[in-house]
Protein backbone atom coordinates (compact mmCIF):
# COMPACT_ATOMS: atom_id res chain seq x y z
CA UNK A 1 0.00 0.00 0.00
CA UNK A 2 1.39 3.38 -1.07
CA UNK A 3 -0.16 6.69 -0.03
CA UNK A 4 -3.26 4.84 1.10
CA UNK A 5 -3.69 3.01 -2.24
CA UNK A 6 -3.89 -0.76 -2.43
CA UNK A 7 -1.89 -2.42 -5.20
CA UNK A 8 -3.59 -5.61 -6.37
CA UNK A 9 -1.30 -6.13 -9.36
CA UNK A 10 2.13 -4.99 -10.50
CA UNK A 11 4.68 -5.63 -13.22
CA UNK A 12 8.30 -6.72 -12.87
CA UNK A 13 10.79 -5.17 -13.21
CA UNK A 14 9.03 -2.31 -11.43
CA UNK A 15 7.97 0.58 -13.67
CA UNK A 16 9.79 3.84 -12.97
CA UNK A 17 6.46 5.44 -12.03
CA UNK A 18 6.02 2.91 -9.21
CA UNK A 19 9.55 3.44 -7.92
CA UNK A 20 8.93 7.20 -7.89
CA UNK A 21 5.75 6.69 -5.84
CA UNK A 22 7.72 4.67 -3.30
CA UNK A 23 10.36 7.40 -3.09
CA UNK A 24 7.81 10.19 -2.69
CA UNK A 25 5.75 8.49 0.01
CA UNK A 26 6.92 8.50 3.63
CA UNK A 27 5.46 5.08 4.40
CA UNK A 28 5.28 1.81 2.52
CA UNK A 29 3.17 -1.06 3.83
CA UNK A 30 3.28 -4.49 2.22
CA UNK A 31 -0.18 -5.82 1.38
CA UNK A 32 -1.06 -9.09 -0.36
CA UNK A 33 -0.57 -8.92 -4.13
CA UNK A 34 -3.03 -10.81 -6.32
CA UNK A 35 -1.43 -10.55 -9.79
CA UNK A 36 2.16 -10.30 -10.95
CA UNK A 37 3.20 -9.86 -14.57
CA UNK A 38 6.28 -9.39 -16.70
CA UNK A 39 5.33 -8.25 -20.21
CA UNK A 40 8.86 -7.27 -21.32
CA UNK A 41 7.54 -4.05 -22.84
CA UNK A 42 9.66 -2.03 -25.25
CA UNK A 43 8.24 1.35 -24.21
CA UNK A 44 11.16 3.70 -23.61
CA UNK A 45 11.58 5.53 -20.30
CA UNK A 46 14.28 7.50 -18.50
CA UNK A 47 15.85 5.35 -15.80
CA UNK A 48 16.16 8.41 -13.54
CA UNK A 49 13.35 10.79 -14.56
CA UNK A 50 14.67 13.84 -12.68
CA UNK A 51 18.01 13.92 -14.49
CA UNK A 52 18.71 15.32 -17.91
CA UNK A 53 19.33 13.04 -20.87
CA UNK A 54 23.08 13.60 -20.48
CA UNK A 55 22.99 11.72 -17.17
CA UNK A 56 20.01 9.37 -17.57
CA UNK A 57 19.76 7.25 -20.71
CA UNK A 58 16.50 5.88 -22.03
CA UNK A 59 15.80 2.20 -21.56
CA UNK A 60 12.91 -0.29 -21.52
CA UNK A 61 11.97 -3.38 -19.53
CA UNK A 62 12.90 -5.43 -22.59
CA UNK A 63 16.39 -3.89 -22.70
CA UNK A 64 16.90 -4.35 -18.95
CA UNK A 65 16.16 -8.07 -19.22
CA UNK A 66 18.25 -8.87 -22.31
CA UNK A 67 21.12 -6.55 -21.37
CA UNK A 68 22.05 -8.06 -18.02
CA UNK A 69 23.63 -11.31 -16.88
CA UNK A 70 21.54 -14.04 -15.19
CA UNK A 71 23.26 -13.19 -11.90
CA UNK A 72 22.22 -9.56 -12.17
CA UNK A 73 18.67 -10.64 -13.04
CA UNK A 74 18.60 -12.86 -9.96
CA UNK A 75 19.65 -9.93 -7.82
CA UNK A 76 17.09 -7.62 -9.47
CA UNK A 77 14.27 -10.11 -8.95
CA UNK A 78 15.30 -10.85 -5.36
CA UNK A 79 15.64 -7.19 -4.37
CA UNK A 80 12.36 -6.07 -5.96
CA UNK A 81 10.33 -9.01 -4.73
CA UNK A 82 11.46 -8.30 -1.17
CA UNK A 83 9.04 -5.34 -1.32
CA UNK A 84 6.07 -7.55 -2.17
CA UNK A 85 3.75 -9.80 -0.18
CA UNK A 86 3.02 -12.86 -2.31
CA UNK A 87 1.29 -15.23 0.10
CA UNK A 88 -2.04 -14.60 -1.66
CA UNK A 89 -0.71 -14.38 -5.23
CA UNK A 90 -3.28 -15.78 -7.65
CA UNK A 91 -2.16 -14.86 -11.19
CA UNK A 92 1.22 -14.84 -12.88
CA UNK A 93 1.51 -13.61 -16.48
CA UNK A 94 4.96 -13.88 -18.06
CA UNK A 95 4.00 -13.72 -21.74
CA UNK A 96 5.66 -10.70 -23.41
CA UNK A 97 3.61 -8.03 -25.15
CA UNK A 98 5.06 -9.15 -28.46
CA UNK A 99 7.01 -12.18 -29.71
CA UNK A 100 8.37 -10.15 -32.61
CA UNK A 101 11.15 -7.62 -32.93
CA UNK A 102 11.38 -5.43 -36.01
CA UNK A 103 8.84 -7.66 -37.73
CA UNK A 104 10.70 -10.90 -37.05
CA UNK A 105 10.12 -13.56 -34.41
CA UNK A 106 12.33 -13.34 -31.34
CA UNK A 107 15.74 -14.94 -31.78
CA UNK A 108 17.16 -17.56 -29.45
CA UNK A 109 19.38 -15.09 -27.59
CA UNK A 110 16.38 -12.98 -26.57
CA UNK A 111 14.35 -16.10 -25.76
CA UNK A 112 17.18 -17.30 -23.50
CA UNK A 113 17.23 -13.93 -21.68
CA UNK A 114 13.47 -13.99 -21.22
CA UNK A 115 13.59 -17.59 -19.99
CA UNK A 116 16.39 -16.82 -17.52
CA UNK A 117 14.40 -13.94 -16.06
CA UNK A 118 11.14 -15.91 -15.86
CA UNK A 119 12.88 -18.92 -14.35
CA UNK A 120 14.52 -16.70 -11.73
CA UNK A 121 11.13 -15.22 -10.90
CA UNK A 122 9.56 -18.67 -10.52
CA UNK A 123 12.43 -19.83 -8.30
CA UNK A 124 11.96 -16.86 -5.95
CA UNK A 125 8.19 -17.39 -5.77
CA UNK A 126 8.86 -21.07 -5.14
CA UNK A 127 11.31 -20.21 -2.37
CA UNK A 128 8.56 -18.21 -0.67
CA UNK A 129 6.13 -21.12 -0.99
CA UNK A 130 3.67 -19.07 -3.03
CA UNK A 131 3.49 -21.12 -6.24
CA UNK A 132 0.87 -23.27 -4.56
CA UNK A 133 -1.41 -20.21 -4.35
CA UNK A 134 -1.51 -19.62 -8.11
CA UNK A 135 -4.79 -20.26 -9.93
CA UNK A 136 -3.68 -18.89 -13.31
CA UNK A 137 -0.30 -19.09 -15.03
CA UNK A 138 0.62 -17.83 -18.51
CA UNK A 139 4.09 -18.57 -19.88
CA UNK A 140 6.15 -18.18 -23.03
CA UNK A 141 8.16 -21.37 -23.54
CA UNK A 142 10.61 -22.70 -26.11
CA UNK A 143 12.04 -26.16 -26.76
CA UNK A 144 13.74 -26.21 -23.34
CA UNK A 145 10.47 -26.06 -21.34
CA UNK A 146 12.09 -25.40 -17.95
CA UNK A 147 8.55 -25.07 -16.54
CA UNK A 148 8.48 -28.84 -16.02
CA UNK A 149 10.54 -28.52 -12.81
CA UNK A 150 7.89 -26.31 -11.18
CA UNK A 151 4.71 -28.19 -12.10
CA UNK A 152 4.51 -30.21 -8.87
CA UNK A 153 4.33 -26.93 -6.93
CA UNK A 154 1.19 -25.76 -8.77
CA UNK A 155 -1.63 -27.90 -7.32
CA UNK A 156 -4.30 -25.20 -7.39
CA UNK A 157 -4.11 -23.97 -10.97
CA UNK A 158 -7.44 -23.35 -12.66
CA UNK A 159 -5.94 -22.25 -15.97
CA UNK A 160 -2.57 -22.91 -17.59
CA UNK A 161 -1.59 -20.94 -20.69
CA UNK A 162 1.42 -21.96 -22.79
CA UNK A 163 2.67 -19.81 -25.66
CA UNK A 164 5.14 -21.85 -27.70
CA UNK A 165 8.01 -20.30 -29.66
CA UNK A 166 10.69 -22.85 -30.52
CA UNK A 167 13.90 -22.29 -32.38
CA UNK A 168 13.36 -22.85 -36.14
CA UNK A 169 14.96 -25.90 -37.65
CA UNK A 170 15.24 -28.04 -34.52
CA UNK A 171 17.16 -31.21 -35.23
CA UNK A 172 15.21 -34.44 -35.36
CA UNK A 173 16.85 -35.60 -32.12
CA UNK A 174 16.06 -32.42 -30.18
CA UNK A 175 12.51 -32.32 -31.55
CA UNK A 176 11.68 -35.95 -30.78
CA UNK A 177 13.66 -36.53 -27.60
CA UNK A 178 13.66 -33.15 -25.85
CA UNK A 179 11.01 -30.69 -27.06
CA UNK A 180 8.03 -33.04 -27.53
CA UNK A 181 8.60 -35.18 -24.40
CA UNK A 182 9.04 -32.08 -22.22
CA UNK A 183 5.92 -30.45 -23.66
CA UNK A 184 3.92 -33.63 -23.07
CA UNK A 185 5.34 -33.89 -19.53
CA UNK A 186 4.31 -30.33 -18.63
CA UNK A 187 0.77 -30.98 -19.87
CA UNK A 188 0.58 -34.32 -18.06
CA UNK A 189 1.65 -32.70 -14.77
CA UNK A 190 -0.90 -29.88 -14.90
CA UNK A 191 -3.93 -30.02 -12.62
CA UNK A 192 -5.65 -27.05 -14.25
CA UNK A 193 -9.12 -27.76 -15.72
CA UNK A 194 -8.46 -25.22 -18.49
CA UNK A 195 -5.46 -25.61 -20.80
CA UNK A 196 -4.72 -22.95 -23.42
CA UNK A 197 -1.91 -23.49 -25.93
CA UNK A 198 -0.88 -20.83 -28.43
CA UNK A 199 1.71 -21.87 -31.01
CA UNK A 200 3.57 -18.77 -32.15
CA UNK A 201 6.09 -20.82 -34.13
CA UNK A 202 7.67 -24.26 -34.04
CA UNK A 203 9.75 -26.53 -36.21
CA UNK A 204 7.46 -28.18 -38.75
CA UNK A 205 7.57 -31.97 -38.40
CA UNK A 206 4.82 -34.54 -38.95
CA UNK A 207 4.92 -35.95 -35.43
CA UNK A 208 1.93 -36.63 -33.17
CA UNK A 209 1.88 -34.71 -29.89
CA UNK A 210 -0.02 -36.70 -27.26
CA UNK A 211 -1.45 -34.54 -24.49
CA UNK A 212 -2.38 -36.94 -21.71
CA UNK A 213 -4.05 -35.42 -18.67
CA UNK A 214 -6.63 -36.42 -16.05
CA UNK A 215 -7.77 -32.90 -15.07
CA UNK A 216 -8.32 -30.85 -18.23
CA UNK A 217 -11.98 -30.11 -19.02
CA UNK A 218 -11.50 -27.39 -21.63
CA UNK A 219 -8.75 -27.34 -24.24
CA UNK A 220 -8.12 -24.20 -26.32
CA UNK A 221 -5.62 -24.44 -29.18
CA UNK A 222 -4.39 -21.59 -31.36
CA UNK A 223 -1.86 -22.70 -33.91
CA UNK A 224 -1.01 -24.09 -37.33
CA UNK A 225 -2.93 -26.85 -39.09
CA UNK A 226 0.13 -29.09 -38.77
CA UNK A 227 0.38 -29.04 -34.95
CA UNK A 228 -0.95 -32.63 -34.83
CA UNK A 229 -2.34 -32.70 -31.29
CA UNK A 230 -3.80 -35.97 -30.00
CA UNK A 231 -5.72 -35.43 -26.71
CA UNK A 232 -6.00 -38.25 -24.19
CA UNK A 233 -8.09 -36.57 -21.49
CA UNK A 234 -10.76 -38.47 -19.60
CA UNK A 235 -12.46 -35.33 -18.21
CA UNK A 236 -12.29 -33.27 -21.39
CA UNK A 237 -15.63 -31.67 -22.30
CA UNK A 238 -14.79 -29.02 -24.88
CA UNK A 239 -12.16 -28.45 -27.56
CA UNK A 240 -11.79 -24.98 -29.09
CA UNK A 241 -9.48 -24.64 -32.10
CA UNK A 242 -8.52 -21.21 -33.43
CA UNK A 243 -7.07 -21.37 -36.95
CA UNK A 244 -5.87 -18.81 -39.49
CA UNK A 245 -8.80 -17.49 -41.54
CA UNK A 246 -7.41 -14.35 -43.19
CA UNK A 247 -5.50 -15.89 -46.09
CA UNK A 248 -8.56 -16.58 -48.26
CA UNK A 249 -7.46 -19.32 -50.71
CA UNK A 250 -4.53 -20.51 -48.55
CA UNK A 251 -5.99 -20.76 -45.05
CA UNK A 252 -5.41 -24.49 -44.65
CA UNK A 253 -1.82 -25.75 -44.55
CA UNK A 254 -2.56 -29.33 -43.47
CA UNK A 255 -0.14 -32.00 -44.62
CA UNK A 256 -0.26 -32.73 -48.36
CA UNK A 257 -3.28 -30.48 -48.88
CA UNK A 258 -3.84 -29.56 -52.53
CA UNK A 259 -3.23 -25.95 -53.46
CA UNK A 260 -6.78 -25.67 -54.83
CA UNK A 261 -8.28 -27.12 -51.63
CA UNK A 262 -6.95 -24.78 -48.93
CA UNK A 263 -9.74 -22.25 -48.64
CA UNK A 264 -11.47 -24.11 -45.78
CA UNK A 265 -9.80 -25.78 -42.84
CA UNK A 266 -10.06 -29.51 -42.25
CA UNK A 267 -12.06 -29.56 -39.02
CA UNK A 268 -11.13 -32.70 -37.11
CA UNK A 269 -7.68 -32.88 -38.67
CA UNK A 270 -6.24 -29.36 -38.50
CA UNK A 271 -4.31 -28.73 -35.27
CA UNK A 272 -6.27 -31.31 -33.20
CA UNK A 273 -7.10 -34.82 -34.41
CA UNK A 274 -10.71 -35.81 -33.66
CA UNK A 275 -9.90 -39.51 -34.13
CA UNK A 276 -7.72 -39.49 -31.01
CA UNK A 277 -10.69 -38.72 -28.74
CA UNK A 278 -12.30 -42.11 -29.39
CA UNK A 279 -12.23 -43.93 -26.02
CA UNK A 280 -9.60 -41.43 -24.81
CA UNK A 281 -11.99 -38.51 -24.18
CA UNK A 282 -15.30 -40.23 -23.32
CA UNK A 283 -16.85 -37.08 -21.79
CA UNK A 284 -16.25 -34.80 -24.77
CA UNK A 285 -19.33 -32.71 -25.58
CA UNK A 286 -18.18 -30.13 -28.16
CA UNK A 287 -15.37 -30.04 -30.69
CA UNK A 288 -14.96 -26.72 -32.55
CA UNK A 289 -18.60 -26.01 -31.70
CA UNK A 290 -19.80 -29.34 -33.11
CA UNK A 291 -21.93 -31.37 -30.71
CA UNK A 292 -20.35 -34.84 -30.35
CA UNK A 293 -21.64 -36.03 -26.96
CA UNK A 294 -24.48 -38.07 -28.44
CA UNK A 295 -22.11 -40.29 -30.43
CA UNK A 296 -21.30 -43.12 -28.01
CA UNK A 297 -17.79 -44.50 -27.60
CA UNK A 298 -19.29 -47.89 -26.70
CA UNK A 299 -19.16 -49.11 -30.26
CA UNK A 300 -16.42 -50.03 -32.71
CA UNK A 301 -14.18 -47.29 -34.02
CA UNK A 302 -15.55 -47.71 -37.54
CA UNK A 303 -19.15 -47.18 -36.39
CA UNK A 304 -18.18 -44.25 -34.16
CA UNK A 305 -16.14 -42.75 -37.00
CA UNK A 306 -19.06 -43.08 -39.44
CA UNK A 307 -21.43 -41.19 -37.14
CA UNK A 308 -18.89 -38.50 -36.22
CA UNK A 309 -17.96 -38.05 -39.89
CA UNK A 310 -21.51 -37.06 -40.81
CA UNK A 311 -21.51 -34.27 -38.23
CA UNK A 312 -18.21 -32.87 -39.48
CA UNK A 313 -19.34 -33.11 -43.09
CA UNK A 314 -22.44 -31.06 -42.22
CA UNK A 315 -20.11 -28.53 -40.58
CA UNK A 316 -18.03 -28.44 -43.77
CA UNK A 317 -21.13 -27.70 -45.84
CA UNK A 318 -22.18 -24.92 -43.45
CA UNK A 319 -18.76 -23.35 -43.92
CA UNK A 320 -19.37 -23.17 -47.66
CA UNK A 321 -17.86 -26.47 -48.82
CA UNK A 322 -19.22 -28.11 -51.97
CA UNK A 323 -17.62 -31.55 -52.25
CA UNK A 324 -19.70 -34.71 -52.12
CA UNK A 325 -19.16 -36.67 -48.92
CA UNK A 326 -16.99 -39.36 -50.55
CA UNK A 327 -14.69 -36.82 -52.19
CA UNK A 328 -14.61 -34.79 -48.97
CA UNK A 329 -13.70 -37.82 -46.83
CA UNK A 330 -10.89 -38.81 -49.20
CA UNK A 331 -8.86 -35.64 -48.61
CA UNK A 332 -10.44 -34.09 -45.51
CA UNK A 333 -11.09 -36.92 -43.07
CA UNK A 334 -9.40 -39.73 -41.13
CA UNK A 335 -7.96 -42.53 -43.19
CA UNK A 336 -7.49 -44.81 -40.16
CA UNK A 337 -7.65 -44.85 -36.37
CA UNK A 338 -4.82 -42.77 -34.83
CA UNK A 339 -2.23 -44.36 -32.58
CA UNK A 340 -1.58 -42.44 -29.34
CA UNK A 341 1.63 -42.89 -27.37
CA UNK A 342 3.75 -40.42 -25.44
CA UNK A 343 7.43 -39.70 -26.11
CA UNK A 344 10.27 -40.19 -23.64
CA UNK A 345 12.94 -37.63 -22.78
CA UNK A 346 16.46 -38.74 -23.63
CA UNK A 347 18.79 -37.80 -20.75
CA UNK A 348 22.31 -36.62 -21.60
Amino acid sequence: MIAGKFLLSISLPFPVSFIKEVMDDESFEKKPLLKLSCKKTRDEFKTIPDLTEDYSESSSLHKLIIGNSPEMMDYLVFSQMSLLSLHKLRELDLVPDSVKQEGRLLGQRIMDSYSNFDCSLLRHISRLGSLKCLTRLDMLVDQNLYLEQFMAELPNLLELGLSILTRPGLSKHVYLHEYIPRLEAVVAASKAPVLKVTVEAETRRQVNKVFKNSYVEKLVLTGPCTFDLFPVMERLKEVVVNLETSLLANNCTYWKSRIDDRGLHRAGLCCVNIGAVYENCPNLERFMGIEVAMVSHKQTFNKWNGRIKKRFYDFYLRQGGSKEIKAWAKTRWLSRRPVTFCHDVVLH
Side-chain angles (χ1 to χ4, degrees):
M1 182 168 68
I2 303 175
K5 297 187 298 183
F6 285 98
L7 292 174
L8 300 180
S9 65
I10 198 168
S11 177
L12 277 180
F14 291 154
V16 172
S17 58
F18 172 78
I19 297 174
K20 189 174 186 305
E21 284 188 69
V22 174
M23 292 176 59
D24 292 344
D25 196 46
E26 294 182 357
S27 64
F28 178 88
E29 182 180 354
K30 291 203 291 188
K31 292 291 184 180
L33 193 71
L34 298 182
K35 180 177 180 179
L36 187 62
S37 63
C38 179
K39 306 302 287 180
K40 291 91 172 171
T41 58
R42 293 179 172 80
D43 297 335
E44 297 279 334
F45 58 82
K46 289 176 62 177
T47 52
I48 306 177
D50 296 337
L51 297 181
T52 65
E53 293 183 0
D54 293 336
Y55 298 96
S56 178
E57 295 184 358
S58 294
S59 186
S60 68
L61 299 184
H62 164 76
K63 288 181 179 178
L64 287 176
I65 292 172
I66 68 170
N68 286 289
S69 66
E71 295 77 17
M72 179 60 73
M73 285 296 97
D74 270 338
Y75 177 75
L76 176 64
V77 170
F78 176 75
S79 59
Q80 294 206 346
M81 288 184 64
S82 66
L83 301 175
L84 304 175
S85 174
L86 301 178
H87 67 280
K88 290 187 177 181
L89 186 66
R90 294 294 182 267
E91 297 184 24
L92 183 61
D93 181 4
L94 303 181
V95 180
D97 275 349
S98 175
V99 296
K100 291 185 177 182
Q101 185 173 24
E102 298 178 352
R104 309 174 80 176
L105 290 169
L106 299 178
Q108 193 60 47
R109 186 182 72 83
I110 294 178
M111 277 297 298
D112 288 343
S113 296
Y114 282 4
S115 295
N116 287 335
F117 183 87
D118 293 346
C119 191
S120 175
L121 185 56
L122 286 169
R123 282 199 304 269
H124 284 293
I125 298 175
S126 171
R127 181 180 58 83
L128 297 172
S130 295
L131 284 180
K132 66 178 182 293
C133 302
L134 289 180
T135 58
R136 180 171 178 172
L137 174 63
D138 292 288
M139 301 284 301
L140 176 67
V141 297
D142 63 4
Q143 64 276 358
N144 297 310
L145 281 144
Y146 64 87
L147 180 60
E148 183 183 357
Q149 64 186 290
F150 298 102
M151 292 305 297
E153 301 178 58
L154 299 162
N156 296 308
L157 278 186
L158 298 178
E159 182 177 312
L160 173 63
L162 300 175
S163 294
I164 299 173
L165 177 59
T166 75
R167 188 176 68 241
L170 290 178
S171 70
K172 184 177 180 180
H173 177 83
V174 171
Y175 190 93
L176 291 178
H177 301 297
E178 296 182 25
Y179 165 53
I180 296 300
R182 288 170 178 166
L183 177 60
E184 291 176 345
V186 167
V187 171
S190 176
K191 296 184 178 180
V194 178
L195 173 63
K196 295 183 177 181
V197 178
T198 300
V199 184
E200 301 290 354
E202 68 156 11
T203 300
R204 182 182 164 105
R205 287 187 181 275
Q206 194 167 0
V207 176
N208 301 339
K209 302 173 182 71
V210 180
F211 281 10
K212 188 174 183 179
N213 185 282
S214 300
Y215 297 90
V216 172
E217 297 178 15
K218 183 175 182 179
L219 177 63
V220 181
L221 264 294
T222 302
C225 301
T226 53
F227 190 64
D228 288 338
L229 176 60
F230 286 49
V232 179
M233 300 174 170
E234 58 198 59
R235 294 187 185 180
L236 186 63
K237 296 180 180 179
E238 182 178 9
V239 174
V240 178
V241 183
N242 301 311
L243 297 163
E244 178 64 64
T245 58
S246 63
L247 301 178
L248 300 177
N250 292 300
N251 283 322
C252 185
T253 57
Y254 191 70
W255 306 107
K256 298 180 181 179
S257 58
R258 290 170 54 95
I259 295 177
D260 60 355
D261 191 22
R262 294 179 179 175
L264 296 176
H265 285 291
R266 288 155 170 76
L269 293 181
C270 288
C271 203
V272 184
N273 192 297
I274 183 65
V277 311
Y278 174 70
E279 294 186 336
N280 293 320
C281 308
N283 294 303
L284 186 64
E285 298 173 358
R286 287 178 300 281
F287 188 105
M288 294 183 67
I290 302 169
E291 299 293 333
V292 298
M294 62 288 297
V295 182
S296 173
H297 292 233
K298 296 180 180 180
Q299 54 186 324
T300 66
F301 175 78
N302 287 339
K303 290 182 178 180
W304 174 87
N305 183 36
R307 290 173 171 81
I308 284 288
K309 179 167 64 175
K310 292 178 182 178
R311 294 182 176 276
F312 279 76
Y313 178 65
D314 289 341
F315 177 78
Y316 164 75
L317 294 178
R318 292 196 300 272
Q319 297 298 303
S322 58
K323 291 177 180 287
E324 295 293 330
I325 189 168
K326 287 186 178 180
W328 167 84
K330 187 175 181 180
T331 59
R332 291 179 157 267
W333 193 245
L334 310 170
S335 58
R336 59 184 177 273
R337 182 178 179 180
V339 177
T340 55
F341 64 90
C342 294
H343 301 79
D344 295 323
V345 177
V346 174
L347 301 177
H348 297 286

